[in-house]
Each structure stands twice: as structure tokens, then as C-alpha cells.
Coordinates of all heavy atoms in Angstrom, one line a residue:
M64 N 86.4 -50.2 242.4 CA 85.7 -50.8 241.2 C 86.1 -52.3 241.1 O 87.3 -52.6 241.3 CB 86.1 -49.9 240.0 CG 85.9 -50.6 238.7 SD 84.6 -50.1 237.6 CE 84.9 -50.7 236.1
S65 N 85.2 -53.1 240.7 CA 85.5 -54.5 240.5 C 86.5 -54.7 239.3 O 86.5 -54.0 238.4 CB 84.2 -55.2 240.2 OG 84.5 -56.5 239.5
W66 N 87.4 -55.7 239.5 CA 88.3 -55.9 238.3 C 87.6 -56.7 237.2 O 88.1 -56.8 236.1 CB 89.6 -56.7 238.8 CG 89.3 -58.1 239.2 CD1 89.0 -58.5 240.5 CD2 89.3 -59.2 238.4 NE1 88.8 -59.9 240.5 CE2 89.0 -60.3 239.2 CE3 89.6 -59.5 237.0 CZ2 89.0 -61.7 238.7 CZ3 89.5 -60.8 236.6 CH2 89.2 -61.8 237.4
L67 N 86.4 -57.2 237.6 CA 85.6 -57.9 236.5 C 84.1 -57.5 236.6 O 83.3 -58.3 237.1 CB 85.8 -59.4 236.8 CG 85.1 -60.4 235.8 CD1 85.6 -60.1 234.4 CD2 85.3 -61.8 236.2
P68 N 83.8 -56.3 236.1 CA 82.5 -55.8 236.3 C 81.5 -56.5 235.3 O 80.3 -56.6 235.6 CB 82.6 -54.3 235.9 CG 83.9 -54.2 235.2 CD 84.8 -55.3 235.6
T69 N 82.0 -57.0 234.2 CA 81.1 -57.6 233.2 C 81.9 -58.6 232.3 O 83.2 -58.4 232.1 CB 80.4 -56.6 232.3 OG1 79.6 -57.2 231.4 CG2 81.5 -55.7 231.6
L70 N 81.3 -59.6 231.7 CA 81.9 -60.4 230.7 C 81.5 -60.0 229.3 O 82.0 -60.5 228.3 CB 81.4 -61.9 230.9 CG 82.0 -62.7 232.1 CD1 81.4 -64.1 232.2 CD2 83.5 -62.7 232.1
Q71 N 80.6 -59.0 229.3 CA 80.2 -58.4 228.0 C 81.3 -57.6 227.4 O 81.9 -56.7 228.0 CB 79.1 -57.5 228.3 CG 77.6 -57.8 228.0 CD 77.1 -59.2 228.0 OE1 76.6 -59.6 229.1 NE2 77.1 -59.8 226.9
T72 N 81.6 -57.8 226.1 CA 82.5 -56.9 225.4 C 81.9 -56.6 224.0 O 81.1 -57.3 223.5 CB 83.9 -57.6 225.1 OG1 83.7 -58.7 224.3 CG2 84.5 -58.0 226.5
N73 N 82.4 -55.5 223.4 CA 81.8 -55.0 222.2 C 82.3 -55.9 221.0 O 81.6 -56.0 220.0 CB 82.2 -53.6 221.9 CG 81.4 -52.6 222.9 OD1 80.3 -53.0 223.3 ND2 82.1 -51.6 223.3
T74 N 83.5 -56.3 221.0 CA 84.1 -57.1 219.9 C 84.8 -58.4 220.4 O 85.2 -58.5 221.5 CB 85.2 -56.2 219.2 OG1 86.3 -56.0 220.1 CG2 84.6 -54.9 218.7
P75 N 84.9 -59.3 219.5 CA 85.7 -60.5 219.8 C 87.1 -60.2 220.3 O 87.6 -60.9 221.2 CB 85.7 -61.3 218.5 CG 84.5 -60.9 217.7 CD 84.4 -59.4 218.1
E76 N 87.7 -59.2 219.7 CA 89.1 -58.9 220.0 C 89.2 -58.4 221.5 O 90.1 -58.8 222.2 CB 89.7 -57.8 219.1 CG 91.2 -57.7 219.2 CD 91.8 -56.9 218.1 OE1 91.2 -56.8 217.0 OE2 92.9 -56.4 218.3
Q77 N 88.2 -57.6 221.9 CA 88.1 -57.1 223.3 C 87.9 -58.3 224.2 O 88.4 -58.4 225.3 CB 87.0 -56.1 223.5 CG 87.4 -54.7 222.9 CD 86.2 -53.7 222.9 OE1 85.2 -54.0 223.5 NE2 86.4 -52.6 222.3
G78 N 87.1 -59.3 223.7 CA 86.8 -60.5 224.4 C 88.0 -61.3 224.7 O 88.2 -61.9 225.7
Y79 N 88.9 -61.3 223.7 CA 90.1 -62.1 223.8 C 91.1 -61.4 224.8 O 91.7 -62.1 225.6 CB 90.8 -62.2 222.4 CG 91.8 -63.3 222.4 CD1 91.4 -64.6 222.3 CD2 93.2 -63.1 222.6 CE1 92.4 -65.7 222.3 CE2 94.1 -64.1 222.6 CZ 93.7 -65.4 222.5 OH 94.6 -66.4 222.5
E80 N 91.1 -60.1 224.8 CA 91.9 -59.3 225.8 C 91.4 -59.7 227.2 O 92.1 -59.8 228.1 CB 91.8 -57.8 225.5 CG 92.5 -57.4 224.3 CD 94.0 -57.7 224.3 OE1 94.6 -57.6 225.3 OE2 94.5 -58.2 223.3
L81 N 90.0 -59.8 227.3 CA 89.5 -60.1 228.6 C 89.9 -61.5 229.0 O 90.2 -61.8 230.2 CB 87.9 -60.0 228.6 CG 87.2 -60.3 229.9 CD1 87.7 -59.5 231.1 CD2 85.7 -60.1 229.7
A82 N 89.9 -62.4 228.1 CA 90.3 -63.8 228.4 C 91.7 -63.8 228.9 O 92.1 -64.6 229.8 CB 90.2 -64.7 227.1
I83 N 92.6 -63.0 228.3 CA 94.0 -62.9 228.8 C 94.0 -62.4 230.2 O 94.7 -62.9 231.1 CB 94.8 -62.0 227.8 CG1 95.0 -62.7 226.5 CG2 96.2 -61.7 228.5 CD1 95.7 -61.9 225.4
K84 N 93.2 -61.3 230.4 CA 93.1 -60.7 231.8 C 92.7 -61.8 232.8 O 93.3 -61.9 233.9 CB 92.2 -59.5 231.8 CG 92.1 -58.8 233.1 CD 91.2 -57.6 233.0 CE 91.2 -56.9 234.3 NZ 90.3 -55.7 234.3
L85 N 91.7 -62.5 232.5 CA 91.2 -63.6 233.4 C 92.3 -64.6 233.7 O 92.5 -65.0 234.8 CB 90.0 -64.4 232.8 CG 88.7 -63.6 232.6 CD1 87.7 -64.5 231.8 CD2 88.1 -63.3 234.0
S86 N 93.1 -64.9 232.7 CA 94.1 -65.9 232.8 C 95.2 -65.4 233.7 O 95.8 -66.1 234.6 CB 94.7 -66.3 231.4 OG 93.6 -66.7 230.6
R87 N 95.6 -64.1 233.4 CA 96.7 -63.5 234.2 C 96.3 -63.3 235.7 O 97.1 -63.5 236.6 CB 97.1 -62.2 233.6 CG 97.8 -62.4 232.2 CD 98.4 -61.1 231.8 NE 99.6 -60.8 232.5 CZ 100.3 -59.6 232.4 NH1 99.7 -58.7 231.7 NH2 101.4 -59.4 233.1
M88 N 95.0 -63.0 235.9 CA 94.5 -62.8 237.2 C 94.5 -64.1 238.0 O 94.8 -64.1 239.2 CB 93.1 -62.2 237.2 CG 92.6 -61.6 238.5 SD 93.7 -60.4 239.1 CE 92.9 -58.9 238.6
A89 N 94.3 -65.2 237.3 CA 94.4 -66.5 238.0 C 95.8 -66.7 238.6 O 96.0 -67.2 239.7 CB 93.9 -67.6 237.1
V90 N 96.7 -66.4 237.7 CA 98.1 -66.5 238.2 C 98.4 -65.6 239.4 O 99.0 -66.0 240.4 CB 99.1 -66.2 237.0 CG1 100.6 -66.2 237.5 CG2 98.9 -67.3 235.9
K91 N 97.9 -64.4 239.3 CA 98.2 -63.4 240.3 C 97.5 -63.8 241.6 O 98.1 -63.6 242.7 CB 97.6 -62.0 239.9 CG 98.1 -60.9 240.7 CD 97.7 -59.6 240.1 CE 98.2 -58.4 240.9 NZ 97.8 -57.1 240.3
K92 N 96.4 -64.4 241.5 CA 95.7 -64.8 242.8 C 96.3 -66.1 243.3 O 96.2 -66.3 244.5 CB 94.2 -65.0 242.5 CG 93.4 -63.6 242.4 CD 91.9 -63.8 242.2 CE 91.2 -62.4 242.2 NZ 91.2 -61.8 243.5
T93 N 96.8 -66.9 242.4 CA 97.5 -68.1 242.9 C 98.8 -67.8 243.5 O 99.2 -68.4 244.5 CB 97.7 -69.1 241.7 OG1 96.4 -69.2 241.0 CG2 98.1 -70.5 242.2
Q94 N 99.5 -66.8 242.9 CA 100.8 -66.4 243.5 C 100.8 -64.9 243.6 O 101.2 -64.2 242.7 CB 102.0 -66.9 242.5 CG 103.3 -66.4 243.0 CD 103.6 -66.6 244.4 OE1 103.4 -65.8 245.3 NE2 104.1 -67.9 244.8
P95 N 100.3 -64.4 244.8 CA 100.2 -63.0 245.0 C 101.5 -62.2 245.1 O 101.5 -61.0 245.0 CB 99.4 -62.9 246.3 CG 98.9 -64.3 246.6 CD 99.8 -65.2 245.9
D96 N 102.6 -62.9 245.3 CA 103.8 -62.2 245.6 C 104.4 -61.7 244.2 O 104.9 -62.5 243.4 CB 104.8 -63.2 246.3 CG 106.1 -62.4 246.7 OD1 106.0 -61.7 247.7 OD2 107.1 -62.6 246.0
D97 N 104.5 -60.4 244.1 CA 105.0 -59.8 242.8 C 106.4 -60.3 242.5 O 106.7 -60.6 241.3 CB 105.0 -58.3 242.9 CG 103.6 -57.7 242.9 OD1 102.6 -58.5 242.7 OD2 103.4 -56.5 243.1
E98 N 107.2 -60.3 243.5 CA 108.6 -60.6 243.3 C 108.8 -62.1 242.8 O 109.6 -62.3 241.9 CB 109.4 -60.5 244.6 CG 110.6 -59.6 244.5 CD 111.2 -59.3 245.9 OE1 111.9 -60.2 246.3 OE2 110.9 -58.3 246.4
T99 N 108.0 -63.0 243.4 CA 108.0 -64.4 242.9 C 107.6 -64.5 241.5 O 108.3 -65.2 240.7 CB 107.2 -65.2 243.9 OG1 107.6 -65.1 245.2 CG2 107.3 -66.7 243.5
R100 N 106.5 -63.8 241.1 CA 106.1 -63.9 239.7 C 107.1 -63.3 238.8 O 107.4 -63.9 237.7 CB 104.7 -63.1 239.5 CG 103.5 -63.9 240.1 CD 102.2 -63.4 239.6 NE 102.1 -61.9 239.5 CZ 101.8 -61.2 240.6 NH1 101.5 -61.7 241.7 NH2 101.8 -59.9 240.5
S101 N 107.7 -62.2 239.2 CA 108.8 -61.6 238.4 C 110.0 -62.6 238.2 O 110.5 -62.7 237.1 CB 109.3 -60.3 239.0 OG 108.2 -59.4 238.9
S102 N 110.3 -63.3 239.3 CA 111.5 -64.2 239.2 C 111.2 -65.4 238.3 O 112.1 -66.0 237.7 CB 111.9 -64.6 240.6 OG 111.0 -65.5 241.1
L103 N 109.9 -65.7 238.2 CA 109.5 -66.9 237.4 C 109.3 -66.5 235.9 O 109.2 -67.4 235.1 CB 108.3 -67.6 238.0 CG 108.4 -68.2 239.4 CD1 107.1 -68.6 239.9 CD2 109.4 -69.4 239.2
R104 N 109.1 -65.2 235.7 CA 108.8 -64.8 234.4 C 109.7 -65.3 233.3 O 109.3 -65.7 232.2 CB 108.7 -63.2 234.4 CG 108.8 -62.5 233.1 CD 107.5 -62.5 232.4 NE 107.5 -61.5 231.3 CZ 106.8 -61.7 230.2 NH1 105.9 -62.7 230.1 NH2 106.8 -60.8 229.2
H105 N 111.0 -65.2 233.6 CA 112.0 -65.5 232.6 C 111.9 -67.0 232.2 O 112.0 -67.3 231.0 CB 113.4 -65.3 233.2 CG 114.5 -65.8 232.2 ND1 115.0 -65.0 231.2 CD2 115.2 -66.9 232.1 CE1 115.9 -65.7 230.5 NE2 116.1 -66.8 231.1
D106 N 111.6 -67.9 233.1 CA 111.4 -69.3 232.8 C 110.3 -69.5 231.9 O 110.4 -70.2 230.8 CB 111.2 -70.1 234.1 CG 112.4 -70.1 235.0 OD1 113.5 -69.6 234.5 OD2 112.3 -70.5 236.2
Y107 N 109.1 -69.0 232.2 CA 107.9 -69.3 231.4 C 108.0 -68.6 230.1 O 107.6 -69.2 229.0 CB 106.6 -69.1 232.2 CG 105.8 -67.8 231.8 CD1 105.0 -67.7 230.8 CD2 106.0 -66.6 232.6 CE1 104.2 -66.6 230.5 CE2 105.2 -65.5 232.4 CZ 104.4 -65.5 231.3 OH 103.7 -64.3 231.0
A108 N 108.6 -67.4 230.0 CA 108.7 -66.7 228.8 C 109.6 -67.3 227.8 O 109.5 -67.1 226.6 CB 109.1 -65.2 229.0
N109 N 110.5 -68.2 228.3 CA 111.4 -68.8 227.4 C 111.2 -70.3 227.2 O 112.1 -71.1 226.9 CB 112.9 -68.5 227.9 CG 113.2 -67.1 227.7 OD1 113.5 -66.6 226.6 ND2 113.0 -66.3 228.8
N110 N 110.0 -70.8 227.6 CA 109.8 -72.2 227.5 C 108.5 -72.4 226.7 O 107.5 -72.0 227.0 CB 109.5 -72.7 229.0 CG 109.3 -74.2 229.0 OD1 108.2 -74.7 228.6 ND2 110.2 -75.0 229.4
A111 N 108.8 -73.2 225.6 CA 107.7 -73.4 224.6 C 106.5 -74.0 225.2 O 105.3 -73.7 225.0 CB 108.2 -74.2 223.4
D112 N 106.7 -75.0 226.1 CA 105.6 -75.7 226.7 C 104.8 -74.8 227.6 O 103.6 -74.9 227.7 CB 106.1 -77.0 227.5 CG 106.6 -78.1 226.5 OD1 106.3 -78.0 225.3 OD2 107.3 -79.0 227.0
S113 N 105.5 -74.0 228.4 CA 104.8 -73.0 229.3 C 103.9 -72.1 228.5 O 102.8 -71.8 228.8 CB 105.8 -72.2 230.1 OG 106.5 -73.0 231.0
L114 N 104.5 -71.6 227.4 CA 103.7 -70.7 226.5 C 102.5 -71.4 225.9 O 101.5 -70.8 225.8 CB 104.7 -70.1 225.5 CG 105.8 -69.2 226.0 CD1 106.8 -68.8 225.0 CD2 105.2 -67.9 226.7
T115 N 102.7 -72.6 225.5 CA 101.6 -73.4 224.9 C 100.5 -73.6 226.0 O 99.3 -73.4 225.7 CB 102.1 -74.7 224.4 OG1 103.1 -74.5 223.4 CG2 100.9 -75.5 223.8
M116 N 100.9 -73.9 227.2 CA 100.0 -74.1 228.3 C 99.2 -72.7 228.6 O 98.0 -72.7 228.8 CB 100.6 -74.6 229.6 CG 100.9 -76.1 229.5 SD 101.5 -76.8 231.0 CE 103.2 -76.5 230.9
A117 N 100.0 -71.6 228.6 CA 99.3 -70.3 228.8 C 98.3 -70.1 227.7 O 97.2 -69.6 228.0 CB 100.4 -69.2 228.9
S118 N 98.7 -70.4 226.5 CA 97.7 -70.2 225.4 C 96.5 -71.0 225.6 O 95.4 -70.6 225.3 CB 98.4 -70.6 224.1 OG 99.6 -69.9 223.9
H119 N 96.7 -72.2 226.1 CA 95.5 -73.1 226.3 C 94.6 -72.5 227.4 O 93.3 -72.6 227.2 CB 96.1 -74.5 226.8 CG 95.1 -75.6 226.7 ND1 95.4 -76.9 226.9 CD2 93.7 -75.5 226.6 CE1 94.3 -77.6 226.8 NE2 93.3 -76.8 226.6
V120 N 95.1 -72.0 228.5 CA 94.3 -71.4 229.5 C 93.5 -70.2 228.9 O 92.3 -70.0 229.2 CB 95.2 -70.9 230.7 CG1 94.4 -70.1 231.7 CG2 95.9 -72.1 231.4
V121 N 94.2 -69.4 228.1 CA 93.5 -68.3 227.5 C 92.4 -68.8 226.6 O 91.3 -68.2 226.6 CB 94.5 -67.4 226.7 CG1 93.7 -66.3 225.9 CG2 95.5 -66.7 227.6
A122 N 92.7 -69.8 225.8 CA 91.6 -70.4 224.9 C 90.4 -70.8 225.7 O 89.3 -70.6 225.3 CB 92.2 -71.5 224.1
T123 N 90.6 -71.5 226.8 CA 89.5 -71.9 227.7 C 88.7 -70.7 228.2 O 87.5 -70.8 228.1 CB 90.1 -72.7 228.9 OG1 90.9 -73.8 228.4 CG2 88.9 -73.3 229.7
N124 N 89.4 -69.7 228.7 CA 88.7 -68.5 229.1 C 87.9 -67.8 228.0 O 86.8 -67.3 228.2 CB 89.6 -67.6 229.8 CG 89.9 -68.0 231.2 OD1 89.0 -68.5 232.0 ND2 91.2 -67.9 231.7
F125 N 88.5 -67.8 226.8 CA 87.9 -67.2 225.7 C 86.6 -67.9 225.3 O 85.6 -67.3 224.9 CB 88.8 -67.2 224.5 CG 88.3 -66.4 223.3 CD1 88.0 -65.1 223.4 CD2 88.0 -67.1 222.1 CE1 87.5 -64.4 222.3 CE2 87.4 -66.4 221.0 CZ 87.2 -65.0 221.1
Q126 N 86.5 -69.2 225.5 CA 85.3 -69.9 225.3 C 84.2 -69.4 226.2 O 83.0 -69.2 225.7 CB 85.4 -71.4 225.6 CG 86.2 -72.2 224.5 CD 86.2 -73.7 224.7 OE1 85.8 -74.1 225.8 NE2 86.7 -74.4 223.8
T127 N 84.5 -69.1 227.4 CA 83.5 -68.6 228.4 C 83.1 -67.2 228.0 O 81.9 -66.9 228.0 CB 84.1 -68.6 229.8 OG1 84.6 -69.9 230.2 CG2 83.1 -68.1 230.8
V128 N 84.0 -66.4 227.7 CA 83.7 -65.0 227.3 C 82.9 -65.0 226.0 O 81.9 -64.3 225.9 CB 85.0 -64.2 227.1 CG1 84.7 -62.8 226.6 CG2 85.8 -64.1 228.4
A129 N 83.3 -65.8 225.0 CA 82.5 -65.8 223.8 C 81.1 -66.3 224.0 O 80.1 -65.7 223.5 CB 83.2 -66.8 222.8
Q130 N 80.9 -67.3 224.8 CA 79.6 -67.8 225.1 C 78.7 -66.7 225.8 O 77.6 -66.5 225.5 CB 79.7 -69.0 226.1 CG 78.6 -70.0 225.8 CD 78.8 -71.3 226.7 OE1 79.9 -71.5 227.2 NE2 77.8 -72.1 226.8
A131 N 79.4 -66.0 226.8 CA 78.7 -64.9 227.5 C 78.2 -63.8 226.6 O 77.4 -63.0 226.9 CB 79.6 -64.3 228.6
N132 N 78.9 -63.7 225.4 CA 78.6 -62.6 224.4 C 77.8 -63.2 223.2 O 77.7 -62.5 222.2 CB 79.8 -61.9 224.0 CG 80.4 -61.0 225.0 OD1 80.0 -59.9 225.1 ND2 81.4 -61.5 225.8
N133 N 77.3 -64.4 223.4 CA 76.5 -65.0 222.3 C 77.3 -65.0 221.0 O 76.8 -64.8 219.9 CB 75.1 -64.4 222.1 CG 74.2 -65.3 221.3 OD1 74.4 -66.5 221.2 ND2 73.3 -64.6 220.6
Y134 N 78.6 -65.2 221.2 CA 79.6 -65.3 220.0 C 79.5 -64.0 219.1 O 79.7 -64.0 218.0 CB 79.3 -66.5 219.2 CG 79.6 -67.8 220.0 CD1 78.5 -68.4 220.7 CD2 80.8 -68.3 220.3 CE1 78.7 -69.5 221.5 CE2 81.0 -69.4 221.1 CZ 80.0 -70.0 221.7 OH 80.1 -71.0 222.5
W135 N 79.1 -62.9 219.8 CA 79.0 -61.6 219.1 C 78.1 -61.6 217.9 O 78.3 -61.0 216.9 CB 80.4 -61.0 218.8 CG 81.2 -60.8 220.0 CD1 81.2 -59.7 220.8 CD2 82.1 -61.7 220.6 NE1 82.0 -59.8 221.8 CE2 82.6 -61.1 221.8 CE3 82.5 -63.0 220.4 CZ2 83.5 -61.7 222.7 CZ3 83.4 -63.6 221.2 CH2 83.9 -63.0 222.4
R136 N 77.0 -62.5 218.0 CA 76.2 -62.7 216.8 C 75.0 -61.7 216.8 O 74.5 -61.4 215.7 CB 75.6 -64.1 216.8 CG 76.5 -65.1 216.2 CD 75.8 -66.4 216.0 NE 75.6 -67.1 217.3 CZ 75.9 -68.3 217.6 NH1 76.4 -69.1 216.6 NH2 75.6 -68.9 218.7
D137 N 74.6 -61.1 218.0 CA 73.5 -60.2 217.9 C 73.9 -58.7 218.0 O 75.0 -58.4 217.9 CB 72.4 -60.5 219.0 CG 73.0 -61.2 220.2 OD1 73.9 -60.6 220.8 OD2 72.5 -62.2 220.6
Ligands
HEM1394 C1 103.8 -60.7 231.4 C2 100.2 -63.5 230.0 C3 101.5 -66.8 233.3 C4 104.5 -63.6 235.2 C5 102.8 -61.2 230.7 C6 102.2 -60.7 229.5 C7 101.2 -61.4 229.1 C8 101.1 -62.5 230.0 C9 100.3 -61.3 227.8 C10 102.7 -59.4 228.8 C11 102.0 -58.2 229.3 C12 102.6 -57.0 228.7 O1 103.8 -56.9 228.4 O2 101.8 -56.0 228.6 C13 100.2 -64.7 230.8 C14 99.3 -65.7 230.7 C15 99.6 -66.7 231.6 C16 100.8 -66.1 232.3 C17 98.1 -65.8 229.7 C18 99.1 -68.0 232.0 C19 97.9 -68.4 231.8 C20 102.5 -66.2 234.1 C21 103.2 -66.9 235.1 C22 104.0 -66.0 235.7 C23 103.9 -64.7 234.9 C24 102.9 -68.4 235.5 C25 105.0 -66.2 236.8 C26 104.8 -66.9 237.8 C27 104.5 -62.5 234.4 C28 105.4 -61.3 234.6 C29 105.2 -60.5 233.5 C30 104.2 -61.2 232.6 C31 106.2 -61.1 235.8 C32 105.8 -59.2 233.2 C33 105.0 -58.0 233.6 C34 105.7 -56.8 233.2 O3 106.8 -56.8 232.7 O4 105.1 -55.7 233.4 N1 102.1 -62.4 231.0 N2 101.1 -64.9 231.8 N3 102.9 -64.9 234.0 N4 103.9 -62.4 233.2 FE1 102.5 -63.6 232.5

């Protein structure tokens, strides 16, 4: 099964979860080595700028997801 079968979600909150998934998947595809990601986890989890940047990436993806769902207006 595809890890991204659809951009459609029922609620904005589910859409936000999808935006997080997209963001994390980008990191995973950029750095496929589990051990390397685990070893870097401590650094980013404890760095305000890293966390702010991660939030920014999620915000960008959320824009795409929201648009794909017509901002859950219909
Ligand atoms: C865990 C998001 C970047 C490595 C998490 C979690 C979230 C998250 C929400 C918690 C998941 C949970 O506990 O259920 C993000 C976002 C990122 C990002 C939005 C950037 C856009 C990175 C980077 C690394 C990394 C750059 C390391 C290179 C990890 C690891 C965990 C984790 C190893 C722990 C997984 C676990 O304990 O099961 N991340 N992350 N992440 N992240 Fe990230």
C-alpha cells in the first residue's frame, strides 16, 4: 500500500497529522539510515531553532494539504 494514497482528509486536524507525516517522510527519505536519524534526534529535539525549522516545514506542507481539501469548506 502506498504511504501517501491521498491528500484528502476528513478534518483539519487529520490534515495537520498528514502534514507532519509528509515532513517526517522527507527526513526519512533524505537520511534513510535509522541509526543516523536516531543519533541526531537528541540534537534537534533540544535545539529551539531546529524545532522552529521543523514547525516551518510542517506549516508549508499543511498549506498544500489544506488547499487539496479546499480548506475543509465543503
Ligand atoms: C520523532 C517530527 C526532523 C529524527 C519525531 C516526532 C515527531 C517528529 C512529531 C515524535 C513522534 C512520536 O513520538 O510519536 C519531525 C519533523 C521534522 C523532524 C516535523 C522535520 C521537518 C527530524 C530529524 C531527525 C529526526 C532531522 C534526525 C535526523 C527523529 C527520531 C525520532 C523523531 C529518531 C524518534 C522516533 C521514536 O522515538 O520512535 N519527529 N521530525 N526527526 N524524530 Fe523527528
Side-chain angles (χ1 to χ4, degrees):
M64 162 106 165
S65 160
W66 68 270
L67 184 58
T69 179
L70 287 178
Q71 254 29 92
T72 65
N73 290 326
T74 65
E76 192 166 339
Q77 286 172 7
Y79 199 80
E80 291 301 318
L81 178 57
I83 293 174
K84 184 177 178 179
L85 291 171
S86 307
R87 294 190 73 193
M88 195 55 99
V90 172
K91 194 171 178 179
K92 285 183 176 289
T93 311
Q94 177 47 267
D96 188 75
D97 289 351
E98 235 173 79
T99 303
R100 286 198 314 277
S101 295
S102 74
L103 293 170
R104 161 82 167 151
H105 177 83
D106 293 349
Y107 102 85
N109 292 282
N110 181 283
D112 289 345
S113 296
L114 294 169
T115 303
M116 282 189 272
S118 303
H119 194 170
V120 172
V121 174
T123 305
N124 281 320
F125 185 63
Q126 287 189 349
T127 304
V128 174
Q130 213 174 343
N132 286 277
N133 195 25
Y134 302 93
W135 296 274
R136 274 190 291 230
D137 27 52

